[in-house]
Amino acid sequence: MLTARLTNRLAEHKAARRDRHHRLRSLASQTRTRINGQDVVAFCSNDYLGLADNPRLVTALEEGGRRFGVGSGGSHLISGHTDAHRRLEDTLCELTGRSAVRLFSSGYQANLAAIAAFSERGDTVLHDRLNHASLLDGARLSGAKVTRYRHGDIDHLTHCLARDRPLLTVTDSVFSMEGDCAPLSAIAGHCRAHDSALMVDEAHAFGVIGDYGQGAVAEAGLTESDVAIVTGTLGKAFGTQGAFVAGSETVIEALTQFARPYIFTTGLSPALAWASCEAITIARTEGERRTHLKDLIAHFKRELPATLQARLLPSETPIQSLVIGDEADALAVGDALWEQGLLVGVIRPPTVPMGTARLRITLSSAHRHEDLDRLIDALSQCGMHKTCTEASV
Ligand SMILES: *Cc1c(COP(=O)(O)O)cnc(C)c1O
């Protein structure tokens, strides 16, 4: 019975062209790399500072493994918590300016844990409409009710705050599929006025936003009393893996005691925790990586021709989204770029709203200007003009 049902669901999924497939990368580089045996320049990783294959991180990973082990061997509250984890928590407290930090194995888990631990059945959690899936899923675990305000819309936010009286209001600081930034100071002000605790997911902001990569919350000067909960991942600009939740002593103690996704799982690898300390040091101190990244972002926005049959979403971050609209068109453009040795993310519903299929182009300080020029040329010549798109379908 199960197999028959799954076979049907898979067939429907495939007929709707919603099926996704792995690509095999066979080099350490995230930018000039080899995928499915083909040499390509890739514009789809979240390794914004080019740290994922950094030799200093590889060395730190080895050292961490030797000193504390590769695996943690248990949950953080039994035997899995090491000096490496403590050091990473201290490093993250310093970076975020928060009193306390808890570590997780992924950002998905950290968001799930925070929302599940802080809300209960009968509470309302208010979200920006375009928040990451992990934030929405947290409320499923706690049984809290979810309501949503229109993306970045302060008037609608205040309306929902007054109507729903949410315990918790949640937003991404940099939106993962759009690249735009939430108006954090305004959101914080309204949340304070309505006594709703604010939680900000800084997955795409840490390492990238602020002079030291301290994130959008710290950059905006928002303190623990403005933003009660900050979450971040180590798997994006920091180039490793794992995640964290930062907040006051009370918030973090509650997370430790109540979050099932913290309690019932093996602790983060101590070797990775050690490497992550090194990653944060590099991200903080090597400001030239952010400078180069800013140059690339400006270059891309300036050089992309205005004649494209696609809309570049407003973004000052390394996430540059070209909205094509139709799913088949977006897939065709992605294929045409691939033929030219260029890989970009083709993002379709349900990840993004219906009718807004897009190319998600992510820039990294590991890119060179000529990599970008190749992409811009290819976008100009091929894929993006309607006739070309139709020809390649
Ligand atoms: C990627 C992402 C996450 C999940 O982080 P992982 O460490 O990859 O699990 C959470 N929130 C946002 C906004 C993200 O983009």
Side-chain angles (χ1 to χ4, degrees):
M1 200 167 81
L2 176 67
T3 305
R5 183 198 295 185
L6 294 181
T7 305
N8 277 339
R9 277 185 61 192
L10 285 169
E12 282 170 21
H13 188 66
K14 196 169 160 94
R17 298 193 68 185
R18 291 282 163 82
D19 49 326
R20 308 173 190 225
H21 299 279
H22 295 96
R23 293 190 183 87
L24 266 182
R25 176 164 55 79
S26 41
L27 294 177
S29 169
Q30 298 284 344
T31 49
R32 295 183 169 208
T33 192
R34 187 171 305 142
I35 289 175
N36 289 353
Q38 183 176 328
D39 289 330
V40 295
V41 183
F43 297 88
C44 46
S45 90
N46 302 309
D47 180 33
Y48 303 121
L49 300 180
L51 293 180
D53 61 346
N54 185 283
R56 277 170 63 187
L57 295 199
V58 177
T59 304
L61 188 72
E62 275 175 19
E63 188 194 329
R66 258 195 314 276
R67 288 180 62 174
F68 307 102
V70 174
S72 65
S75 67
H76 281 284
L77 293 169
I78 303 290
S79 62
H81 203 61
T82 67
D83 291 338
H85 297 104
R86 171 58 60 82
R87 179 165 170 237
L88 178 56
E89 288 174 345
D90 292 345
T91 304
L92 286 166
C93 283
E94 228 175 275
L95 179 77
T96 58
R98 267 32 189 180
S99 307
V101 158
R102 228 29 355 131
L103 301 175
F104 291 83
S105 297
S106 76
Y108 184 90
Q109 202 183 356
N111 284 339
L112 211 59
I115 295 189
F118 301 142
S119 64
E120 296 174 55
R121 194 172 296 281
D123 293 328
T124 298
V125 181
L126 176 60
H127 287 270
D128 184 290
R129 180 171 285 286
L130 297 184
N131 275 353
H132 193 260
S134 56
L135 296 164
L136 295 164
D137 291 357
R140 292 196 190 177
L141 210 54
S142 73
K145 184 177 157 206
V146 168
T147 58
R148 304 203 286 180
Y149 61 95
R150 286 192 290 272
H151 177 53
D153 184 333
I154 293 293
D155 288 341
H156 197 221
L157 167 75
T158 52
H159 170 81
C160 294
L161 282 167
R163 184 193 62 195
D164 304 333
R165 309 217 134 276
L167 175 80
L168 203 58
T169 299
V170 187
T171 184
D172 289 5
S173 57
V174 173
F175 286 86
S176 51
M177 297 299 142
E178 289 73 25
D180 59 335
C181 299
L184 289 180
S185 297
I187 295 174
H190 290 293
C191 286
R192 178 195 285 270
H194 287 86
D195 197 24
S196 180
L198 178 58
M199 170 170 164
V200 178
D201 180 352
E202 296 245 67
H204 297 277
F206 281 118
V208 174
I209 307 269
D211 288 345
Y212 305 96
Q214 68 269 43
V217 169
E219 171 73 359
L222 297 169
T223 64
E224 221 159 75
S225 64
D226 302 310
V227 179
I229 305 146
V230 173
T231 68
T233 177
L234 302 165
K236 287 173 179 156
F238 295 129
T240 61
Q241 189 170 5
F244 57 95
V245 178
S248 68
E249 298 283 356
T250 305
V251 157
I252 297 304
E253 180 60 10
L255 188 69
T256 310
Q257 301 303 326
F258 305 141
R260 294 167 65 89
Y262 186 70
I263 298 167
F264 298 108
T265 191
T266 298
L268 175 70
S269 151
L272 265 173
W274 197 252
S276 297
C277 293
E278 184 72 1
I280 293 166
T281 301
I282 298 175
R284 286 179 84 162
T285 54
E286 296 188 359
E288 62 273 21
R289 290 176 188 270
R290 270 178 295 279
T291 307
H292 179 54
L293 188 56
K294 278 204 189 92
D295 281 352
L296 292 170
I297 296 166
H299 181 88
F300 182 76
K301 287 164 57 109
R302 195 174 54 239
E303 298 298 326
L304 199 70
T307 54
L308 296 183
Q309 297 265 349
R311 190 166 55 94
L312 185 67
L313 297 182
S315 158
E316 303 298 325
T317 70
I319 302 168
Q320 296 289 322
S321 273
L322 265 172
V323 175
I324 294 178
D326 182 72
E327 292 177 46
D329 284 349
L331 285 168
V333 177
D335 288 348
L337 292 173
W338 171 258
E339 292 302 317
Q340 299 192 46
L342 298 162
L343 180 62
V344 303
V346 178
I347 313 288
R348 293 170 287 157
T351 307
V352 293
M354 290 297 287
T356 70
R358 65 194 66 180
L359 306 184
R360 178 177 182 267
I361 295 159
T362 54
L363 305 181
S364 162
S365 66
H367 284 124
R368 304 177 203 165
H369 281 89
E370 58 259 38
D371 297 330
L372 245 62
D373 289 337
R374 266 188 67 188
L375 177 64
I376 293 164
D377 283 350
L379 285 169
S380 319
Q381 285 163 22
C382 181
M384 302 301 288
H385 298 288
K386 260 289 187 270
T387 47
C388 227
T389 313
E390 279 156 10
S392 53
V393 170

